[in-house]
Amino acid sequence: MSKKIYTDSGIEIKPVYTEPVNRNEMPGEFPFTRGVQPDMYRGKLWTMRQYAGFSTAEESNKRYHYLLQQGVSGLSVAFDLPTQIGYDSDHPLADGEVGKVGVAIDSLEDMEILFNGIKLEEVSCSMTINASGFILLALYAALAKKQGADLKKITGTIQNDILKEYAARGTYIYPPKASMRIITDIFEWCARETPKWNTISISGYHIREAGSTAVQEIAFTLSNGKAYVKAALEKGLDIDVFGKRLSFFFNAHNNLFEEAAKFRAARRMWAVIMKELGATDPKAMMLRFHTQTGGSTLTAQQPINNISRVTIQTLAAVMGGTQSLHTNGYDEALSLPTEAAASTALRTQQIVAYESGVPDTVDPLAGSYFVEALTDEIEAEARKLMDKIDSMGGSVAAIEQGFMQNEIARSAYEYQRQIESGEKIIVGVNKFTSDEKNHIPLLKIDESIQKLQTDKLKKLRETRDNTKVTAALKAIHTLAVNGGNLMPAVVEAVECLCTLGEIAGELRSVFGEYK
């Protein structure tokens, strides 16, 4: 009897696939299995992004200009942990974390430095920010206005996906119900003020990084998406309007065919979900997504091997029909990427785009007996999980009951067990190892960054109009207590030079913190 082989999601792979799948689906048409555009990359390549942000706004700005010169077509901003959880750089809990895993942003002054020499009306910007995403969006809008940009023309995305923070990542501030209110306030405000801005990037990336399977990644992500749509509908928003501005963020791991099939299945599933929830405009049913290659797949051992891993993951994302892509640097298991590693990662995308031939036809894996069967099986398994979540009362209830967290933990444990037992081979880690030492240069963040940011904050608080600051924070407090959309008051507050920590803290005093 031949050995049984399974995908990373536990789906059995047959030795050979001979049964044709007869589908007459066309790309650009419901249910979008084959892609959201009729001509896909023949018409326009995916947006090539490189996720970057570290140290101070000045240092990150230099990296953005470097990346733009190298040919990126969109910026992607990483923020440090204090910024992500709503603390200024001089807060005691920020100690030792300022500028470490991303850029420190405390005020509109930092935002101006971050985008110095970059016209916001001319570049698409993605910001990986969740609990404090509404403040970063307000800062971005305030800066765009200051530059004289038309807010109706600015394009980009805030991640703004708080549900996966409770399940997989941990950078939450407020309890779920208060967080959902802020998110629907953003939906409503953006529909009116920044209609081209993607109001949320519903994120499977961190669910996968926490240890989920490919099936769990799309099941939990699409369930979270349903929860956001239902919350917006309850607020009276038009699904055909806000539905067009929903975007998704997925992971690409090493199992080439499972990953490509996962993206195809997710598109089909979301189109059906949106139709069932009342969408009638096909554009509101499209699952548009950004992909990042798998950070957790990178190895500290033999790091140059990571270039090969990232190449496979890039192919999976492109053959799966992504709209936007970030490729990780080969050194990211050891440090933030150096310029050389970031450049190589970008060149990987460019080689796939211009030399591989993969973008030349739409959905190049369509009709493959294996990939079509795998697409169906992933969809079926993901639907079972989603039905279970629905029976619990939806994503918020499933998270509150610990269901998603426990499922992810079980999958992470099983994956690690397979590596340690040798059932799963990781080249350079549990097979084909060597005693060679790494000699690649690493990016180090200077500890002096914290003092620089603290000194800037001290000066800001001494020179701004603190009467206006007090009034702006009071207006936010009143709206939080009495109801009403928070976004206009937050934009006004950042224009008065209120800091990120002051605004987040004002809402902590009303909503409390999630423990």
Side-chain angles (χ1 to χ4, degrees):
M1 188 176 168
S2 65
K3 176 187 169 187
K4 289 193 172 183
I5 296 175
Y6 299 88
T7 71
D8 291 342
S9 294
I11 294 168
E12 188 179 345
I13 301 172
K14 298 175 190 174
V16 66
Y17 288 77
T18 57
E19 294 176 13
V21 177
N22 292 314
R23 271 204 201 95
N24 293 319
E25 292 174 1
M26 293 301 289
E29 295 176 10
F30 181 89
F32 308 108
T33 312
R34 302 193 59 194
V36 293
Q37 298 297 337
D39 57 353
M40 285 302 289
Y41 307 130
R42 289 168 70 99
K44 180 179 180 288
L45 287 172
W46 62 93
T47 301
M48 296 183 198
R49 299 186 186 277
Q50 285 306 117
Y51 187 45
F54 58 92
S55 181
T56 60
E58 289 91 342
E59 288 302 311
S60 293
N61 177 260
K62 288 177 193 171
R63 176 65 67 89
Y64 296 153
H65 280 285
Y66 170 78
L67 289 169
L68 288 165
Q69 287 162 7
Q70 297 303 306
V72 298
S73 45
L75 295 175
S76 192
V77 184
F79 298 95
D80 72 357
L81 278 175
T83 303
Q84 290 182 50
I85 52 177
Y87 291 121
D88 288 331
S89 297
D90 59 357
H91 192 282
L93 290 177
D95 192 34
E97 288 293 345
V98 176
K100 287 290 175 70
V101 298
V103 61
I105 298 294
D106 294 315
S107 70
L108 185 56
E109 287 185 354
D110 287 331
M111 207 69 167
E112 285 187 77
I113 295 164
L114 186 68
F115 292 104
N116 183 36
I118 298 168
K119 290 187 177 177
L120 301 191
E121 204 176 285
E122 295 174 5
V123 68
S124 164
C125 182
S126 170
M127 295 189 280
T128 303
I129 195 77
N130 296 283
S132 57
F134 65 105
I135 306 172
L136 270 300
L137 175 59
L139 286 163
Y140 196 85
L143 177 58
K145 283 162 72 177
K146 212 168 176 184
Q147 288 186 354
D150 181 351
L151 288 190
K152 291 190 164 44
K153 290 181 181 173
I154 64 167
T155 60
T157 306
I158 42 169
Q159 194 162 101
N160 194 31
D161 173 8
I162 202 65
L163 292 178
K164 65 92 176 47
E165 296 295 329
Y166 303 115
R169 191 162 175 265
T171 64
Y172 42 72
I173 304 174
Y174 314 111
K177 286 188 174 64
S179 296
M180 293 295 275
R181 172 193 164 177
I182 292 169
I183 285 168
T184 54
D185 280 359
I186 292 167
F187 286 5
E188 185 178 53
W189 183 82
C190 285
R192 187 173 63 247
E193 303 293 335
T194 57
K196 290 189 173 181
W197 189 267
N198 296 326
T199 51
I200 194 166
S201 176
I202 305 156
S203 178
Y205 186 84
H206 306 96
I207 290 169
R208 192 66 178 280
E209 289 292 284
S212 82
T213 65
V215 164
Q216 288 170 334
E217 180 188 353
I218 63 168
F220 296 163
T221 305
L222 299 187
S223 288
N224 289 348
K226 276 176 75 173
Y228 294 126
V229 171
K230 286 181 176 179
L233 289 171
E234 282 167 19
K235 195 162 184 168
L237 303 183
D238 185 344
I239 193 170
D240 283 328
V241 175
F242 74 78
K244 293 175 193 173
R245 300 267 55 97
L246 304 177
S247 65
F248 288 79
F249 174 26
F250 289 120
N251 210 315
H253 273 216
N254 290 330
N255 192 319
L256 179 71
F257 297 113
E258 182 175 42
E259 294 300 296
K262 174 189 78 180
F263 298 131
R264 300 173 87 249
R267 251 193 315 270
R268 187 159 74 209
M269 290 172 73
W270 186 246
V272 172
I273 288 164
M274 287 297 276
K275 195 170 190 178
E276 287 171 350
L277 289 169
T280 56
D281 188 327
K283 287 189 176 175
M285 302 174 203
M286 289 178 181
L287 183 144
R288 296 166 301 115
F289 65 98
H290 170 71
T291 310
Q292 182 174 339
T293 57
S296 62
T297 69
L298 303 178
T299 64
Q301 302 90 332
Q302 302 176 21
I304 297 298
N305 294 347
N306 293 326
I307 297 173
S308 301
R309 293 185 176 100
V310 169
T311 304
I312 291 167
Q313 294 161 10
T314 299
L315 286 167
V318 172
M319 290 197 284
T322 194
Q323 275 62 67
S324 166
L325 180 61
H326 162 83
T327 32
N328 288 334
Y330 58 79
D331 54 0
E332 287 191 62
L334 297 160
S335 74
L336 291 172
T338 60
E339 275 193 3
S343 178
T344 300
L346 176 61
R347 295 289 180 256
T348 301
Q349 292 199 52
Q350 291 165 336
I351 289 166
V352 169
Y354 297 106
E355 297 184 29
S356 73
V358 170
D360 293 349
T361 188
V362 179
D363 194 14
L365 294 177
S368 155
Y369 298 165
F370 177 38
V371 171
E372 294 290 3
L374 205 46
T375 302
D376 291 347
E377 287 183 80
I378 288 170
E379 178 179 10
E381 291 301 312
R383 282 198 182 281
K384 281 184 207 167
L385 263 179
M386 291 185 74
D387 289 344
K388 196 165 187 177
I389 291 165
D390 286 343
S391 71
M392 292 177 175
S395 273
V396 175
I399 288 163
E400 288 172 343
Q401 292 170 43
F403 172 73
M404 286 191 193
Q405 298 92 313
N406 291 338
E407 289 291 303
I408 293 166
R410 261 197 291 274
S411 295
Y413 171 80
E414 176 58 20
Y415 186 80
Q416 189 60 32
R417 185 199 65 73
Q418 289 177 4
I419 292 171
E420 291 183 16
S421 69
E423 293 169 57
K424 179 169 284 297
I425 291 168
I426 308 296
V427 173
V429 175
N430 63 357
K431 197 158 188 178
F432 314 114
T433 57
S434 75
D435 296 325
E436 283 180 35
K437 298 282 183 231
N438 291 330
H439 296 295
I440 60 169
L442 301 178
L443 181 67
K444 301 284 186 193
I445 304 300
D446 198 298
E447 294 296 337
S448 65
I449 300 306
Q450 187 161 348
K451 185 171 186 319
L452 285 171
Q453 282 299 113
T454 301
D455 289 347
K456 268 201 285 186
L457 275 167
K458 186 169 183 280
K459 188 179 176 187
L460 174 78
R461 292 192 176 110
E462 286 170 353
T463 55
R464 68 188 181 179
D465 186 335
N466 283 299
T467 307
K468 283 185 177 178
V469 166
T470 303
L473 293 172
K474 188 178 177 185
I476 289 171
H477 188 102
T478 303
L479 275 168
V481 172
N482 297 333
N485 195 306
L486 288 162
M487 279 303 297
V490 175
V491 173
E492 195 170 318
V494 300
E495 289 175 331
C496 294
L497 299 180
C498 292
T499 68
L500 173 132
E502 288 165 346
I503 295 166
E506 198 63 51
L507 291 177
R508 273 186 175 95
S509 73
V510 179
F511 298 144
E513 288 188 276
Y514 181 74
K515 302 291 185 190

